Amino acid sequence: MKKFIALLLAALCLLFTSCSGKNSGEAAFSRGTVENGVYRNASMGITVAPGDGWTFCSDEEIARLYGISADSFLNEDASDSFKQANIVYDMYCSSQSGDSINVNYENVGLYALALGDAKDYLELSSSNLESQLNLEGITIEKNEIGEIEINGSTVPCLYVTHTYSEQGVTFYEFIIAEKRGSRFAVITAGSLSEERLAELAKAVTIG
């Protein structure tokens, strides 16, 4: 189930991979770090502090979850690979109750000129959702742009609810994005309880 959810979250970041370009004039970009149960990425201004009882996946576990090569994290050229990658799956954490938060980064390249802000990104994500999540046994119950409070400010988000027919499980998510240069930080939080989403949002700081 955990791996299945991770793959679904990854699908939402596959909007521009085949057409993205490089922007050599951008500020330094680096991976985030986890210390004392808190994830921080200073280059993108992202902090996730979910609290006690959460487990952060190692690089190897993230690689297995998303079906990617661990070499992109672990070899000596990982820093350069990170900077050039179209999509980077940087952090995944989960609780025993089934809540999860993940942080991915997408380099949209030349599309950054057309995508003015995070809401533009989320609206395009929403319009592509049906085709990206065209998987047997999944029913999308909700797919709409809304708002959520993140560190005291109201920001646009994409609310997604999908049901797994085989397991009889419904999963609730919100997705937010933060644009820095040609990259978007994409933060997805999910729970088996819709009421938990506002609480999960409190774990996220942007800026």
Side-chain angles (χ1 to χ4, degrees):
M1 180 72 172
K2 181 178 179 181
K3 180 178 177 64
F4 197 49
I5 292 172
L7 293 174
L8 288 173
L9 302 182
L12 297 172
C13 287
L14 300 177
L15 299 179
F16 310 100
T17 305
S18 61
C19 300
S20 61
K22 297 179 182 178
N23 187 338
S24 59
E26 291 188 3
F29 181 51
S30 60
R31 289 197 64 191
T33 60
V34 176
E35 186 175 352
N36 297 323
V38 178
Y39 166 87
R40 292 185 177 89
N41 187 316
S43 69
M44 293 297 289
I46 305 297
T47 300
V48 179
D52 297 335
W54 283 68
T55 300
F56 285 81
C57 288
S58 66
D59 290 342
E60 295 91 338
E61 289 169 331
I62 291 175
R64 287 196 296 270
L65 279 170
Y66 291 109
I68 59 178
S69 172
D71 290 344
S72 61
F73 297 107
L74 303 176
N75 66 27
E76 61 184 6
D77 297 321
S79 179
D80 289 337
S81 298
F82 178 84
K83 294 174 184 177
Q84 297 173 11
N86 292 328
I87 297 177
V88 175
Y89 308 106
D90 201 37
M91 188 277 283
Y92 186 102
C93 63
S94 60
S95 70
Q96 292 184 347
S97 63
D99 297 342
S100 65
I101 302 174
N102 78 319
V103 180
N104 300 328
Y105 300 100
E106 182 170 8
N107 184 356
V108 299
L110 298 178
Y111 279 99
L113 299 175
L115 289 172
D117 56 21
K119 188 174 182 180
D120 291 337
Y121 179 96
L122 294 172
E123 287 176 344
L124 190 54
S125 297
S126 177
S127 67
N128 283 276
L129 186 64
E130 296 287 345
S131 60
Q132 295 291 348
L133 296 186
N134 185 22
L135 299 174
E136 185 177 355
I138 298 178
T139 301
I140 298 174
E141 311 285 354
K142 184 177 184 178
N143 170 22
E144 63 182 47
I145 300 295
E147 295 180 334
I148 198 164
E149 185 173 323
I150 300 292
N151 54 279
S153 298
T154 300
V155 302
C157 74
L158 174 60
Y159 286 106
V160 179
T161 302
H162 38 80
T163 299
Y164 309 90
S165 58
E166 185 174 340
Q167 294 91 349
V169 172
T170 298
F171 201 68
Y172 304 89
E173 297 172 347
F174 72 78
I175 303 165
I176 57 177
E178 172 73 1
K179 184 181 180 183
R180 298 287 175 96
S182 66
R183 294 179 176 85
F184 281 91
V186 184
I187 305 164
T188 306
S191 178
L192 297 172
S193 169
E194 188 170 20
E195 289 71 27
R196 285 280 301 153
L197 295 184
E199 190 66 27
L200 294 178
K202 295 178 182 179
V204 180
T205 301
I206 299 176

